[in-house]
Amino acid sequence: MTLSDLIDVLAFICLVFVFAGIIPVISSFTQYLLIGLHGITNHYSECKDYTPKVSIVIPAWDEGDVIGASIDSLMSLAYPEGAWRIYVVDDASTDQTPDVLRKKMLEYPGSVFHLRREVGGQGKAHALNHGLSTILADDWAEAILIMDADVLFEPLTLRRMTRHLADKSIGAVTAYVKEGSEPGNLVTRFVAYEYIAAQAAARRAQNVIGVLACLAGGAQLHSRTNLVEMGGLIDTTSLAEDTFTTFKTQLNGRRVMFDGNAVVWAEEPDTLEGLWKQRLRWARGNIQLTVAFRHVWFRPHKNKRLGSAAFGILWFSILLMPLFMIAASIGLLGLHWLRPNWEIAGFATLWGTASAVYVFERLFSYVIDPTTAARTWLEGFLFPGLISLVVAAVFFLPQNWFEFLDVPVSIGSMHSTWREVASLMSYAWISLCMVAAWGVYALEKRGLWPWLRNMLLIVVGYGPVLTAISIAAMVAEWKKTDLRWDKTLKTGRARIPT
Amino acid sequence: MNRFEKDFRKLLAQDQRAETRIFRGEIIVLVIFAIIVLAHFLPKS
């Protein structure tokens, strides 16, 4: 093999790396294209007026600030009188949770039950199993709603969920969890915008392809049969018990449904530190699940839907997104030195596709959830960060506007132009944005002022924070860091908008 | 038809309309998107 052949092979590998960076973008776009079909092929035609007796199980570990409001919202449900009961599993709380529960039991006699665990803090799944063992021990409940202590239900949400269970092929239904912090801040508004994409959009698309990746832990309704078929227990071996439940339901041959019109409101983290803790748990859980269900991926003969190529690509394009981004950076930098004529084509394809999909998704978010999209228009716009937006803008502007960059510059013994330096920096930024995002998180943890954190977050972007967390999760799983249940602190900020 | 049955039908129709609105909205957004993309790639005179 000659040197020229070697360069050709390396350049081809670099080009493949650049195209790997486009995979998550195309996957996200395809998902958005499927959403419209949900207007034609949804589950509403199979729904019936079905109002089973529902036992609601709420794990609560030091949730004294939020549990009272959640119970009040549940007691205002538009649902047949006496057809629902609330079981709060007090996971050895050391705050005022037991006092709040005693008060609520007196206020709503026969509807609210206090189940106390004397040894707690082992995680949500253990608390849920304590509640489920009590609920399934008698045959009153026909359906079981699993929710979080901070979640507030709109009055019609439970009815919107139970109607799907009239179809016995449905094992579980999940609702659209919206961020409801009042007052919110930049971080909570980023989360609110993210949930349009991650829930209202993605889960509708998943309904269309007939397989759901995750039942929201904050609001999932199961038929009794479904939970009994799973042995009446929630998986306790991972940090993603809700996704395990989702997969097990579907592997047992039952379908799982998302109802985007069934809305609940939750309090999400308002700091990067809180967000990091919560999302690291989710991301590690997803890696654990990917390994645990390794026999399912891309094997449609074993499970038609979970094993389908479409679902596999959707799943892995999110799970491996940071690796695809790093590959794209390496690919572009490699092409710069190996094949400059391919470099421009690679960059144009990557940034052109990403920019087009960015515009499409922003516009479409106003159709999917107009109120949230309007409330979070700035966060939606700034989601990738100012630096990435500037790179995209420069890509679309006439290049002769930037002739002022064609001045020579010497860095050590290297001679170049500012234009070339800017190009190389923009290629590297696809990966470096994750390092920068980690830096903003680390600075906030060390007491950075919130206004400065906000400024840096706007420059770096919220998207890079999420991918940086995915990398951190991969590292933690690789190093087998202790599986600690890091509870997200809830303070009672969430409100149902009037 | 009792009150609950009436409410159920009303709610179902309302939610189906919301999904249909998303379908129509997607078509409109796709048209706008196609115009933007074409405007970028069409040769400028």
Side-chain angles (χ1 to χ4, degrees):
Chain A
M1 186 185 269
T2 64
L3 181 64
S4 160
D5 290 340
L6 184 66
I7 287 174
D8 278 350
V9 171
L10 287 174
F12 180 74
I13 292 170
C14 286
L15 198 63
V16 171
F17 274 25
V18 174
F19 281 102
I22 304 174
I23 293 172
V25 181
I26 297 290
S27 164
S28 170
F29 182 61
T30 312
Q31 201 165 246
Y32 266 79
L33 285 181
L34 291 173
I35 297 164
L37 294 178
H38 198 252
I40 306 165
T41 59
N42 56 50
H43 190 249
Y44 288 144
S45 57
E46 309 293 320
C47 287
K48 294 202 168 60
D49 186 16
Y50 180 56
T51 49
K53 284 180 276 189
V54 179
S55 283
I56 302 169
V57 56
I58 313 175
W61 181 26
D62 290 348
E63 303 281 10
D65 290 337
V66 294
I67 190 70
S70 296
I71 292 172
D72 290 340
S73 86
L74 290 170
M75 293 312 297
S76 309
L77 287 171
Y79 204 72
E81 193 74 24
W84 76 104
R85 293 175 178 173
I86 303 165
Y87 293 83
V88 182
V89 185
D90 167 12
D91 203 19
S93 298
T94 52
D95 70 346
Q96 73 276 27
T97 301
D99 301 331
V100 175
L101 290 175
R102 270 190 287 276
K103 207 175 126 205
K104 292 297 168 192
M105 283 170 73
L106 289 173
E107 195 178 342
Y108 307 115
S111 294
V112 179
F113 299 87
H114 179 189
L115 307 176
R116 173 85 179 171
R117 288 184 84 210
E118 290 310 326
V119 180
Q122 292 169 293
K124 185 177 164 186
H126 286 91
L128 280 175
N129 285 339
H130 185 83
L132 289 176
S133 64
T134 305
I135 290 165
L136 295 174
D138 81 42
D139 53 11
W140 185 86
E142 295 165 304
I144 293 104
L145 175 70
I146 294 173
M147 60 176 277
D148 288 340
D150 63 302
V151 169
L152 304 174
F153 271 64
E154 290 188 354
L156 287 165
T157 297
L158 185 59
R159 289 205 77 193
R160 284 184 153 116
M161 293 172 84
T162 55
R163 60 191 174 182
H164 295 279
L165 294 185
D167 173 356
K168 298 301 169 197
S169 72
I170 302 293
V173 184
T174 192
Y176 176 18
V177 182
K178 292 174 90 162
E179 207 296 314
S181 294
E182 273 305 328
N185 68 3
L186 184 75
V187 177
T188 60
R189 284 193 298 275
F190 267 127
V191 175
Y193 178 80
E194 178 202 353
Y195 281 2
I196 302 178
Q199 293 192 40
R203 289 179 183 167
R204 274 189 173 90
Q206 290 164 19
N207 272 354
V208 172
I209 62 171
V211 56
L212 207 71
C214 183
L215 287 157
Q220 49 178 280
L221 178 76
H222 295 263
S223 69
R224 182 189 182 98
T225 319
N226 188 50
L227 280 176
V228 168
E229 277 176 0
M230 276 192 280
L233 291 172
I234 301 294
D235 177 84
T236 54
T237 61
S238 87
L239 294 168
E241 80 294 330
D242 40 10
T243 319
F244 261 77
T245 309
T246 315
F247 273 54
K248 279 185 179 170
T249 298
Q250 292 171 105
L251 286 169
N252 284 343
R254 294 192 183 272
R255 288 192 294 156
V256 173
M257 204 51 65
F258 166 71
D259 193 321
N261 298 298
V263 173
V264 298
W265 297 84
E267 174 185 330
E268 298 300 339
D270 61 350
T271 62
L272 288 185
E273 191 181 351
L275 184 84
W276 196 282
K277 200 161 74 170
Q278 181 196 54
R279 300 308 173 87
L280 188 68
R281 194 176 72 228
W282 294 4
R284 286 191 68 179
N286 284 342
I287 296 170
Q288 292 162 357
L289 177 128
T290 306
V291 175
F293 291 92
R294 57 191 172 277
H295 56 282
V296 170
W297 306 113
F298 298 103
R299 288 179 176 85
H301 56 281
K302 283 201 173 172
N303 187 287
K304 204 171 84 183
R305 289 182 168 134
L306 274 177
S308 68
F311 183 66
I313 291 168
L314 281 182
W315 180 269
F316 283 97
S317 64
I318 294 169
L319 190 85
L320 303 178
M321 192 184 291
L323 302 185
F324 288 131
M325 289 165 71
I326 293 168
S329 266
I330 294 171
L332 284 169
L333 289 168
L335 286 178
H336 177 77
W337 282 292
L338 297 168
R339 272 290 161 85
N341 54 333
W342 289 6
E343 171 201 354
I344 305 298
F347 180 76
T349 312
L350 180 66
W351 279 92
T353 312
S355 304
V357 172
Y358 166 83
V359 171
F360 177 76
E361 292 184 358
R362 265 71 201 157
L363 286 173
F364 199 13
S365 66
Y366 281 89
V367 175
I368 299 167
D369 182 350
T371 47
T372 310
R375 185 165 64 90
T376 61
W377 68 271
L378 186 62
E379 288 73 17
F381 172 69
L382 293 168
F383 201 85
L386 264 185
I387 294 179
S388 294
L389 289 171
V390 167
V391 173
V394 167
F395 169 73
F396 284 103
L397 292 172
Q399 290 307 297
N400 57 6
W401 289 16
F402 302 99
E403 278 169 1
F404 67 91
L405 289 172
D406 291 329
V407 288
V409 59
S410 295
I411 303 164
S413 59
M414 285 177 66
H415 303 287
S416 180
T417 61
W418 280 112
R419 186 190 284 270
E420 189 182 14
V421 172
S423 297
L424 293 178
M425 287 304 295
S426 66
Y427 301 163
W429 180 250
I430 301 170
S431 303
L432 291 181
C433 64
M434 292 183 271
V435 180
W438 174 82
V440 181
Y441 153 72
L443 285 172
E444 190 210 60
K445 222 175 154 186
R446 279 161 186 75
L448 186 74
W449 301 291
W451 66 268
L452 190 53
R453 184 268 325 270
N454 287 351
M455 298 274 287
L456 293 173
L457 187 57
I458 285 168
V459 171
V460 171
Y462 178 82
V465 173
L466 299 182
T467 41
I469 295 171
S470 298
I471 291 270
M474 288 174 192
V475 172
E477 279 302 296
W478 181 55
K479 286 168 71 178
K480 304 212 179 309
T481 311
D482 190 23
L483 284 181
R484 213 153 38 90
W485 179 260
D486 269 332
K487 179 184 176 301
T488 308
L489 184 71
K490 310 282 179 164
T491 57
R493 288 191 316 266
R495 304 275 180 279
I496 299 178
T498 45
Chain B
M1 196 185 287
N2 63 28
R3 186 176 66 83
F4 271 114
E5 178 72 12
K6 270 186 196 163
D7 287 350
F8 164 76
R9 289 190 184 285
K10 209 169 124 186
L11 198 63
L12 201 63
Q14 180 189 323
D15 291 347
Q16 179 56 54
R17 275 198 302 276
E19 297 302 322
T20 309
R21 184 180 55 76
I22 293 177
F23 173 64
R24 288 199 195 115
E26 180 169 35
I27 292 171
I28 294 166
V29 172
L30 273 173
V31 170
I32 297 170
F33 181 68
I35 292 168
I36 295 171
V37 172
L38 283 174
H40 182 74
F41 284 109
L42 279 180
K44 287 146 185 93
S45 55

